[in-house]
Amino acid sequence: MIFLRIFISASVLLCCSLAGTYGQNGPKADQQERLLIVHAPADYYPYSYVDEQGHPVGFAAELLDLVAKQMHLKIYRVSLPRTIGLEQFGNGKFDILQQYTRTLKYDATAESSTPYLAIQGVLFIRRGEKRFVALEETRDLQLVVAAAPAGYQYALSIGMKPEQLLQVSTQECLRLLSEGKVDAALLSRITGMAQARQLGFTNVVPSGHPIKGYTVTFCFATHRGDSELLALLNDGIAQLIQSGEFEKLHNKWFTPYEPRRFTLLETVSLAAIALALALAIAIWALIRQRSLRKRIARQAEELEESRSILADAQQLAKVGHWLRKNGEGQVSSFAKEILHISGLPLETGAIAVDEIKALVLPEDRQKWEDAIRKLEREGIPYEMEMWVVLRSGERKKVHVRARAVKDREGRCIGSFGTVQDITAWKAVEQALQQSEQLLRALYENLPFALGVVERGETGWTLVSINPAGVRLLGLQSAPAPGCGISSLGLPKEAQEYWERFFRNCIDANRSARVDYSRREDHREFVVTAVPLEGDKARLCFLMEDVTDHRRKDAEIGQSRRLRAVGELVGGIAHEFNNLLTPILLNADLLQSEWAHEPALCDELRVIADAARRSAVLTRKLLAFGRKSEHAAETVALKDVVAANIELVRHTFDRRIAIECDIPASLPLLHVSSGDIHQILLNLLVNARDALSDKLAGPPEDGWRARIHIQATLYGADAFVPLETAPRPAPEAWIRLTVRDNGSGMPSSVMERLYEPFYTTKEVGRGTGLGLATIWHLAAAYGGRVDVETKEGEGTAFHISLPVFSGSEPLSERSASASGAQAEMPSLRVLLVEDEESISHIISGLLRAQGHATTVAVDGRVAWGMFTKTPDRFDAIVMDLNLPGMSGLEFARLVRASAYRGPILVVSGRVSEEDQKELNLLGVTEVLQKPFTGDEVRSALARALAGQGEIREGTAQA
């Protein structure tokens, strides 16, 4: 032990003499007078911390006190957290750090003394841990390890992954480990054990295996350049080691954590360490010089790295720089990026100025040369954009700027400048401009109102609005940006509505879609508002005028409702015809049998007339339901109007004036004249009733009851049909208008105008079928009906009918068959009718005419009879609506066989599609129910007359 102390003392004295320290003589006079400010960490137990009375204590504090006493130094401690003290030391607020661990971050400003303590690192684990004991095992098991900064850097250096490591303070490492939030902690042995005991973490222990290569050393530190103070500290440490005071102090603080005695081997090791420390002090000056050389080399490397980074940045930004002296024809100092931009070889050592000028387009070259001359003569910097054409033919847009380089006297001796390839940027800029122009065109030409509003302190302001918005909002002119909503001139009610709607949308912070109706012009809109993100409360609104769309939707809806009602009415009329048919047939039959009883015949005539009037009503119902078809013909509208005026002139009130304005040059219509008569007569009767109601009231000055009829020719695209069924395009449209100046109609009547059986007339004056029939007849011809009315002033009905070129009639009957009334031979007739009363009477009529009649009440039964003896029947009379098998199916099967005889259809309902298929099957005679016996005979005669044509057509086929 005595030998060890002598060896250490000799080594320290040798180092002190080599370093030029003061030995036992103490500091100089100026050092004695100087008060040294010392940073004492307040949070690093057991080395430096603050006790309960607020005094700085700890191993490092007592060691510095001993050194200061030994070397006659005056010190004053300031207790601060360790990290704050290090930062303030770097700012020059402290002279000494009493506990310093070497780090790259602070080595630039601090010089460290001889290390007074070296502690090996160890892996701390929870008590009872069996999975691992070494740091390498945590890496293999993918465990999470917490570490102090020095331990964190060491773990990275041995190849551990950052995701396995957690860098926190020593106290936080121990807390996380104790709570089981990490698997292990990498700390210095004494530090970890001491702080674990202080914090009360009894379940945290070191693994017992020191980690090679991980050693934490502590020393004093001074500012760089304060070599005298550093030498005093080193000398003091050496004297304390020599005197044995250091060993006593070490045992006082660390014996609880290192209780065992030194062995001979450890003593020798300690001596070796002491010798190494002495030798380190001896070569301190040499190391300092070497450090300076390394620092210079490192600065050179950093400079080269900065140059490399600058070159990469210039390449990414496509910017190059140059430096050129005035009068020289070459640019000798330049960045390589200039070679990339100009397309010159990368090995080019000098760039000729004329070579660069030759790449510039002539229209830009002259401006550049003038700018260069002004810079060289007057020192005026320049900045411009130019087009260059490389040797490869590639065109580039470049941005060039330059400034003068001056000498000490202020004379311009050269220029420094940059050139940047902005071709891609210009392309993007041009694309953005085109996109902006497109968006502007869309914004200004959208058919919808589009705008942006903003909520401010004084209310809502209009940021922008497109022309359609000005029109749809009813503004007189486009408002200026920033104009308040209150100054747009909107009605008060509308202004309050818009402000409330915008406020609700902003407060809810979500899109909203509402319907808005403007009362003054009865327009309907759909408004959508979307809040915009940003610091200001803004939203974008879109307003679409849907008045016409909804009007068309209402028309389509009404068309569908009326079509459904028509189907229902048609079915009822069909069943009603089945009931009327036996009544009318029996009445005619009884009249012929009881012709010798005039009184009885008169009663039977009343029954027949009632049945015929009922038949007329059912025909109206079928016309409403589009269940009957009338033969189309060429009709002159002027003649039909004149005939109807002549018909009603003597029955209308003489006070009603009827005026007509129908041009004779109107084209002909291919329609049923009966349908046109029915349309016009219903309109005239309605106009008369409206005028009669007004005539019954108090007389008005200057008013005269008047009905005005006019017709106008329009182009092919003037109107849209009520129904959108596929039809040929019309050549033109004729619009027939019947206008009266009567009482007009309220909106409640307009809503139900075309409903069947709806009427405002008293009982007995109307059936409610007139306008419904008009609507369906016009729709059947591909036309439309429009109404204008104003309550108290009158009504105008507009009937728009298409004009087709070369239109064929919907159905044609053979002229020869229409008048066939010749005597018929006896026939074998198959009657297919499911209504027993009707089949009984028709079979009676046929037998009375001498025809042998076979009756079938089912389509399938009839087909069975026919197939057994196909040559047995000369004629077929059948209904279309049959059970088992429909009349059309039966007719198809019959025509598919060898049968070419006449087929007579008797039905209460024949659709347009049914009629077309019957025509294809050669069925030309269709008798609508109800009918008389004479009509049955005539129809059968016409069918027989057309039999030859059918056979001839079949033979040709």
Side-chain angles (χ1 to χ4, degrees), residues 831-878:
L831 173 62
V832 189
E833 173 62 62
D834 61 319
E835 288 289 337
E836 183 179 356
S837 58
I838 298 176
S839 65
H840 176 71
I841 295 178
I842 293 178
S843 62
L845 287 173
L846 293 174
R847 291 189 183 99
Q849 296 175 16
H851 304 306
T853 305
T854 302
V855 179
V857 296
D858 183 290
R860 195 173 300 279
V861 173
W863 174 243
M865 293 179 180
F866 184 85
T867 53
K868 288 181 181 179
T869 54
D871 298 331
R872 176 182 172 187
F873 303 106
D874 301 316
I876 297 175
V877 180
M878 68 175 190

Side-chain angles (χ1 to χ4, degrees), residues 558-570:
Q558 186 183 37
S559 171
R560 290 174 178 172
R561 289 194 299 272
L562 292 177
R563 188 181 299 114
V565 174
E567 293 289 337
L568 176 62
V569 169

Side-chain angles (χ1 to χ4, degrees), residues 222-468:
T222 64
H223 289 286
R224 287 200 171 274
D226 200 348
S227 58
E228 293 180 356
L229 178 58
L230 186 64
L232 289 174
L233 295 175
N234 288 332
D235 197 1
I237 294 171
Q239 292 185 29
L240 291 176
I241 294 173
Q242 184 179 6
S243 64
E245 293 293 325
F246 181 87
E247 184 177 357
K248 294 179 182 179
L249 184 64
H250 183 277
N251 292 335
K252 171 186 175 181
W253 283 98
F254 302 121
T255 297
Y257 314 111
E258 299 280 349
R260 55 192 177 85
R261 297 284 182 178
F262 290 106
T263 64
L264 178 61
L265 179 60
E266 290 172 339
T267 304
V268 174
S269 299
L270 182 61
I273 293 174
L275 180 61
L277 291 174
L279 292 175
I281 295 172
I283 60 175
W284 174 66
L286 297 176
I287 293 175
R288 184 178 180 186
Q289 292 179 1
R290 184 178 180 184
S291 175
L292 289 174
R293 287 195 296 272
K294 287 184 177 180
R295 186 182 303 172
I296 294 172
R298 185 167 60 250
Q299 290 176 350
E301 292 177 357
E302 292 175 354
L303 179 60
E304 183 62 27
E305 183 178 2
S306 299
R307 290 176 178 174
S308 177
I309 292 174
L310 177 61
D312 292 341
Q314 287 184 339
Q315 184 176 1
L316 289 174
K318 296 185 177 180
V319 177
H321 68 270
W322 83 86
L323 181 64
R324 170 177 171 261
K325 293 183 180 180
N326 291 343
E328 291 186 356
Q330 292 183 339
V331 178
S332 56
S333 178
F334 57 87
K336 286 188 177 181
E337 187 59 25
I338 289 185
L339 301 177
H340 288 286
I341 296 173
S342 58
L344 298 176
L346 297 180
E347 60 274 9
T348 302
I351 303 176
V353 176
D354 292 339
E355 186 178 10
I356 296 297
K357 289 182 179 180
L359 301 178
V360 182
L361 291 181
E363 54 267 24
D364 294 331
R365 187 186 307 156
Q366 185 61 46
K367 293 188 295 183
W368 188 31
E369 291 177 346
D370 294 341
I372 292 174
R373 284 193 292 269
K374 287 184 178 180
L375 185 145
E376 292 177 349
R377 295 173 184 175
E378 306 174 23
I380 300 175
Y382 65 83
E383 181 177 357
M384 64 179 61
E385 294 180 0
M386 301 183 299
W387 280 102
V388 296
V389 181
L390 308 186
R391 296 174 180 176
S392 62
E394 181 184 1
R395 291 170 59 94
K396 288 185 178 181
K397 187 82 168 182
V398 296
H399 179 271
V400 182
R401 68 172 66 188
R403 62 173 175 83
V405 177
K406 299 181 180 180
D407 57 12
R408 294 181 178 180
E409 287 76 19
R411 293 173 298 183
C412 179
I413 59 174
S415 60
F416 173 81
T418 61
V419 57
Q420 184 176 17
D421 183 358
I422 59 172
T423 309
W425 294 359
K426 284 296 180 179
V428 172
E429 181 181 356
Q430 184 178 6
L432 289 175
Q433 290 177 353
Q434 293 175 352
S435 299
E436 183 179 358
Q437 292 173 358
L438 177 60
L439 291 175
R440 174 60 60 180
L442 290 173
Y443 181 74
E444 294 180 351
N445 295 282
L446 276 175
F448 314 122
L450 184 62
V452 177
V453 293
E454 176 182 313
R455 183 167 64 182
E457 297 180 356
T458 59
W460 290 94
T461 57
L462 189 66
V463 179
S464 67
I465 189 170
N466 66 343

Side-chain angles (χ1 to χ4, degrees), residues 559-627:
S559 171
R560 290 174 178 172
R561 289 194 299 272
L562 292 177
R563 188 181 299 114
V565 174
E567 293 289 337
L568 176 62
V569 169
I572 295 173
H574 171 65
E575 297 301 326
F576 195 49
N577 278 337
N578 285 336
L579 298 176
L580 288 176
T581 300
I583 295 174
L584 188 58
L585 288 175
N586 276 317
D588 288 343
L589 184 59
L590 289 173
Q591 285 185 73
S592 62
E593 292 179 355
W594 294 87
H596 58 281
E597 292 289 342
L600 181 58
C601 288
D602 290 340
E603 297 297 332
L604 292 172
R605 192 175 298 109
V606 172
I607 295 174
D609 290 341
R612 289 188 180 91
R613 286 197 299 273
S614 299
V616 172
L617 179 60
T618 58
R619 286 193 180 94
K620 287 185 178 181
L621 291 173
L622 288 170
F624 168 74
R626 297 183 65 187
K627 299 303 177 185

Side-chain angles (χ1 to χ4, degrees), residues 97-281:
L97 293 176
Q98 73 176 19
Q99 181 181 352
Y100 177 68
T101 301
R102 292 178 178 176
T103 60
L104 293 176
K105 182 176 180 180
Y106 297 100
D107 281 354
T109 58
E111 286 192 74
S112 57
S113 69
T114 301
Y116 56 74
L117 196 62
I119 306 173
Q120 279 191 299
V122 70
L123 190 68
F124 280 78
I125 59 177
R126 285 188 294 276
R127 193 180 299 276
E129 178 65 70
K130 302 296 184 182
R131 294 176 294 170
F132 59 92
V133 293
L135 181 62
E136 292 77 12
E137 294 175 334
T138 64
R139 177 175 55 192
D140 298 334
L141 296 175
Q142 294 295 310
L143 303 178
V144 179
V145 178
Y152 183 85
Q153 297 298 329
Y154 172 77
L156 290 178
S157 68
I158 65 173
M160 291 193 70
K161 298 180 180 178
E163 54 266 27
Q164 287 185 255
L165 300 174
L166 183 64
Q167 181 178 357
V168 292
S169 65
T170 303
Q171 295 91 335
E172 188 67 9
C173 286
L174 294 169
R175 185 185 66 79
L176 294 174
L177 179 59
S178 176
E179 294 175 359
K181 295 181 179 179
V182 296
D183 300 290
L186 184 59
L187 303 169
S188 61
R189 179 182 179 86
I190 295 178
T191 306
M193 293 178 64
Q195 294 195 11
R197 175 177 293 184
Q198 182 196 29
L199 297 173
F201 297 147
T202 59
N203 62 335
V204 176
V205 294
S207 65
H209 298 272
I211 299 175
K212 295 181 180 180
Y214 175 35
T215 302
V216 180
T217 60
F218 298 108
C219 55
F220 299 131
T222 64
H223 289 286
R224 287 200 171 274
D226 200 348
S227 58
E228 293 180 356
L229 178 58
L230 186 64
L232 289 174
L233 295 175
N234 288 332
D235 197 1
I237 294 171
Q239 292 185 29
L240 291 176
I241 294 173
Q242 184 179 6
S243 64
E245 293 293 325
F246 181 87
E247 184 177 357
K248 294 179 182 179
L249 184 64
H250 183 277
N251 292 335
K252 171 186 175 181
W253 283 98
F254 302 121
T255 297
Y257 314 111
E258 299 280 349
R260 55 192 177 85
R261 297 284 182 178
F262 290 106
T263 64
L264 178 61
L265 179 60
E266 290 172 339
T267 304
V268 174
S269 299
L270 182 61
I273 293 174
L275 180 61
L277 291 174
L279 292 175
I281 295 172

